Amino acid sequence: SNLISKFCWLSYIVLLTTVSASRVFIAAHFPHQCFIGMAVGWLVALGLDNINHKQLGTLHYCAITAGMLASALSMYGFLTAIGVDPMWSVGRAIKWCAKREYVHLDTSPFFSMMRYCGFMFGMGFGFNSGSFKSLSKSKYPMAMRIACAVLSVGVCKVSEKISLIKSTMFLFYVQAFLLNALLSYIMIAVVPSIVAKVTGKKQKTQ
């Protein structure tokens, strides 16, 4: 409903603001990085909200993922060509951060892009999976939706405990891509299926 939609958007904006403020407070990111991240996050959410995922096939999501990756690599190459270090903020972070060990590879701009690309890739397979298509034909009560949200957050927290191999940059970023692709697939296709089976409630077909 319209009320639920407004509540979700308000919650999302509050979450973006809170997380960004906390990242600045603990000196994990510079203010401009958080501001740009908030703006991009809001624009991406707005774009996805206006897209009917039922009309997009797996290849569409793969194409979007490839486009995102190509744009990131192109920008990286362009900045390098004109003499600008794309990773300049990492050096500043190492210089000004209270503890050098706080600066990790997963705070770099390219890692964020790998995370977004992975999520988009996983979304394509999740939305087009047989499990999701079957479940999307049914109407679920709010309690089940909340259960899905809580379980998804739990899955995200568990994924944070996974330590990625950092022997090479290439391997590290590939792992980040695959992990986030799997994560989004689980949240879209697996979690709702588990909740539906556990509750054992009959689904009302729309």
Side-chain angles (χ1 to χ4, degrees):
S1 66
N2 190 39
L3 181 61
I4 294 177
S5 178
K6 289 182 178 179
F7 174 77
C8 290
W9 272 109
L10 178 61
S11 300
Y12 180 65
I13 293 174
V14 170
L15 180 63
L16 277 179
T17 304
T18 303
V19 171
S20 297
S22 67
R23 301 299 287 178
V24 174
F25 180 77
I26 65 175
H29 290 290
F30 292 105
H32 75 278
Q33 292 176 319
C34 292
F35 178 77
I36 294 175
M38 286 177 59
V40 172
W42 181 78
L43 290 174
V44 170
L46 188 63
L48 292 176
D49 187 53
N50 291 313
I51 293 177
N52 185 358
H53 63 80
K54 294 181 180 179
Q55 297 179 348
L56 298 178
T58 304
L59 290 179
H60 290 99
Y61 284 94
C62 290
I64 295 173
T65 301
M68 292 170 61
L69 184 57
S71 66
L73 292 175
S74 298
M75 179 59 69
Y76 189 95
F78 173 74
L79 292 175
T80 302
I82 62 176
V84 177
D85 182 11
M87 305 290 283
W88 67 269
S89 61
V90 176
R92 295 288 181 86
I94 293 175
K95 179 180 179 181
W96 296 106
C97 192
K99 293 185 178 181
R100 186 186 182 94
E101 57 268 25
Y102 287 167
V103 182
H104 301 283
L105 283 174
D106 56 8
T107 61
S108 63
F110 201 69
F111 177 85
S112 297
M113 181 54 67
M114 286 296 97
R115 181 169 54 197
Y116 300 146
C117 287
F119 260 92
M120 182 61 67
F121 189 74
M123 283 171 58
F125 286 92
F127 284 136
N128 289 281
S129 66
S131 174
F132 179 82
K133 288 183 177 180
S134 176
L135 292 171
S136 62
K137 296 177 181 179
S138 304
K139 186 176 182 179
Y140 295 94
M142 183 56 64
M144 291 183 66
R145 298 183 184 184
I146 294 176
C148 287
V150 172
L151 186 55
S152 294
V153 171
V155 171
C156 288
K157 298 303 292 184
V158 171
S159 70
E160 294 177 359
K161 303 297 182 181
I162 298 176
S163 180
L164 302 181
I165 300 173
K166 301 178 181 178
S167 56
T168 65
M169 294 285 284
F170 177 77
L171 179 60
F172 176 75
Y173 287 129
V174 168
Q175 290 176 98
F177 177 88
L178 295 176
L179 175 61
N180 285 281
L182 179 61
L183 187 60
S184 62
Y185 179 84
I186 290 175
M187 290 191 293
I188 293 171
V190 180
V191 168
S193 179
I194 292 176
V195 172
K197 290 180 180 179
V198 170
T199 56
K201 293 185 178 181
K202 293 183 178 180
Q203 305 166 2
K204 296 180 179 180
T205 304
Q206 292 179 330

